[in-house]
Amino acid sequence: MLLRLPVSLSEAQECLAEGAIPIGGATLVWATWQRDGFPEQAMSLRRLPEANVIGREELGAAVMLHQIDERVPEVLRRAAATVGTGAVRRTATVGGNLVGSTLRCLLPAALVLNAGAVVLESDGVRETDLAEVLAKRHLLLGLRWREPIASAYRKEAGEAGGPPPFVVAAAVHADGVRQLRHLRVAVRDGYDVLDDSVPYDTGADADQVVDLLQDTTIGTLHSPGRAVVRRHVRELLAGLPR
């Protein structure tokens, strides 16, 4: 197998046109290739500058999970820190986790940030939403978002060999036009991911805000899941100034 390492967008496009298979850290595809056979060409974005950015409002797809630090919002940093083992985090990438994994551990965090996706196609770079990226498995270059006022992430304890642990992520955002706020919440329940948002009145207490979530898709959760969301949102809002 020939591994290609483009250093520019034009080189990456050339690799795609010539049939190179995009990989992240190859943590998820290696066993499959050993079983079914290796492709003739693969492509890694680890040397592509556009896929390696880390900032308060952007994150490249080739960034390895252990590299995600205080430069990004807390919800995304904590989500990355809970993925697998230290060895996995030193190899797995943002793009591989979001596009190549069935668990998609970073997805709830990305959703509550209202993150958009930057993708590379044969005719250039464009921005789209995460739903399209996941459905069509585009080549992800990175994520972009507007920094939230506050954010938080929680992963419940799971059982070895059992279903994926329950995850809840939340973020409070400012509305730049009306100077209002809204709360966005996302959960991973098994392999399903739900997300929704509600307006957040700084004069309301946390229980009033959580009650609004009962009329969204989050309200369709089972009782234990709703209880975890309630605790999580209470703790996030408690730390915000009135």
Side-chain angles (χ1 to χ4, degrees):
M1 181 183 73
L2 173 64
L3 177 61
R4 303 181 68 173
L5 300 167
V7 297
S8 68
L9 292 175
S10 59
E11 284 186 41
Q13 287 176 283
E14 181 180 336
C15 291
L16 284 177
E18 294 177 2
I21 304 298
I23 60 171
T27 56
L28 298 169
V29 298
W30 196 259
T32 301
W33 286 349
Q34 287 181 312
R35 184 190 66 218
D36 300 336
F38 287 79
E40 292 185 7
Q41 299 184 68
M43 175 179 65
S44 168
L45 302 181
R46 68 188 184 208
R47 294 184 182 171
L48 185 66
E50 291 86 350
N52 284 278
V53 295
I54 306 176
R56 294 304 299 175
E57 296 188 334
E58 59 181 342
L59 183 64
V63 173
M64 289 179 285
L65 301 187
H66 82 282
Q67 296 174 307
I68 298 176
D69 55 23
E70 68 279 353
R71 287 172 286 179
V72 305
E74 179 179 351
V75 66
L76 196 52
R77 182 172 73 252
R78 290 189 178 274
T82 67
V83 176
T85 64
V88 168
R89 294 191 293 274
R90 287 190 293 273
T91 306
T93 64
V94 171
N97 184 272
L98 285 171
V99 182
S101 169
T102 56
L103 289 177
R104 293 170 177 159
C105 301
L106 300 185
L107 182 56
L111 288 172
V112 300
L113 290 175
N114 296 321
V118 183
V119 299
L120 178 65
E121 298 180 329
S122 58
D123 57 350
V125 174
R126 70 181 179 93
E127 293 192 26
T128 185
D129 56 42
L130 284 171
E132 181 181 332
V133 172
L134 300 183
K136 299 184 179 181
R137 301 179 68 83
H138 290 305
L139 176 54
L140 183 68
L141 286 179
L143 304 174
R144 291 177 181 166
W145 61 86
R146 292 183 62 184
E147 186 173 3
I149 295 171
S151 64
Y153 179 90
R154 179 195 303 265
K155 176 186 279 187
E156 295 291 281
E159 297 180 5
F166 186 85
V167 164
V168 55
V172 176
H173 296 267
D175 185 324
V177 177
R178 295 172 292 174
Q179 297 302 310
L180 298 176
R181 295 179 178 183
H182 67 273
L183 169 73
R184 179 165 288 278
V185 175
V187 302
R188 187 187 68 191
D189 183 22
Y191 291 94
D192 296 325
V193 176
L194 305 174
D195 75 293
D196 221 316
S197 65
V198 294
Y200 167 47
D201 183 343
T202 56
D205 67 26
D207 284 333
Q208 290 175 305
V209 178
V210 173
D211 286 343
L212 293 176
L213 287 169
Q214 301 311 307
D215 295 325
T216 70
T217 55
I218 303 299
T220 65
L221 283 169
H222 45 77
S223 180
R226 294 198 306 272
V228 174
V229 170
R230 181 175 290 272
R231 290 197 305 272
H232 186 68
V233 171
R234 279 176 174 167
E235 291 173 8
L236 174 62
L237 299 186
L240 295 179
R242 292 298 183 108

